[in-house]
């Protein structure tokens, strides 16, 4: 059984910072791309940032220059450092990862349970 467990969400004032963490646990052989998505009520889940196993990053235009993504492969953990937060960054942030459970075949995609981020104006 594989789990992605997020932490680090909370309430912060506009202009502030938060750091989200997501740790993958279980019978994991390796992790491919890991990333973060967010969702607000009534809207579809949207892409925020991803990082490949080799460290290549990709960001949504709305967060470029403010958010950074990193990973610790030894800890099977991905981080999202969020700076200069805006009220429009408010939402539930979900961790996502492509995980190999076997040395054979492709990776399976997993989601975390989500962590709430609220940015007050």
């Amino acid at each position: 059984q594989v789990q992605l467990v997020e932490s680090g969400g909370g309430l912060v004032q506009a202009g502030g910072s938060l750091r989200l963490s997501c740790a993958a646990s279980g019978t994991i052989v390796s992790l491919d791309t890991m990333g973060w998505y967010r969702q607000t009520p009534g809207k579809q889940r949207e892409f925020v940032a991803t990082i490949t196993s080799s460290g290549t990053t990709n960001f949504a235009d709305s967060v470029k220059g403010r958010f950074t993504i990193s990973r610790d492969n030894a800890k099977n953990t991905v981080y999202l450092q969020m700076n200069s937060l805006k009220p429009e960054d408010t939402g539930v942030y979900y961790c996502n990862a492509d995980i190999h459970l076997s040395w054979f075949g492709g990776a399976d995609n997993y989601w975390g349970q989500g962590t709430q981020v609220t940015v007050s104006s």
Side-chain angles (χ1 to χ4, degrees), residues 14-97:
S17 298
L18 282 174
R19 188 191 193 209
L20 305 183
S21 300
C22 171
S25 63
T27 53
I28 297 169
V29 170
S30 66
L31 294 165
D32 285 347
T33 299
M34 303 182 77
W36 294 92
Y37 294 74
R38 65 188 181 192
Q39 188 168 21
T40 53
K43 296 180 72 174
Q44 286 190 328
R45 193 171 297 186
E46 65 175 4
F47 163 75
V48 175
T50 55
I51 183 168
T52 67
S53 58
S54 59
T56 300
T57 59
N58 191 25
F59 295 93
D61 288 342
S62 59
V63 307
K64 279 180 182 176
R66 300 188 297 120
F67 292 10
T68 58
I69 187 171
S70 60
R71 62 192 285 169
D72 184 333
N73 291 328
K75 296 181 178 180
N76 290 340
T77 299
V78 63
Y79 306 95
L80 185 69
Q81 178 66 44
M82 305 185 293
N83 299 326
S84 302
L85 282 161
K86 304 175 181 180
E88 51 263 44
D89 294 318
T90 294
V92 178
Y93 282 68
Y94 294 92
C95 177
N96 180 267

Side-chain angles (χ1 to χ4, degrees), residues 3-21:
Q3 278 191 312
L4 296 177
V5 179
E6 299 108 331
S7 60
L11 173 65
V12 64
Q13 287 189 328
S17 298
L18 282 174
R19 188 191 193 209
L20 305 183
S21 300

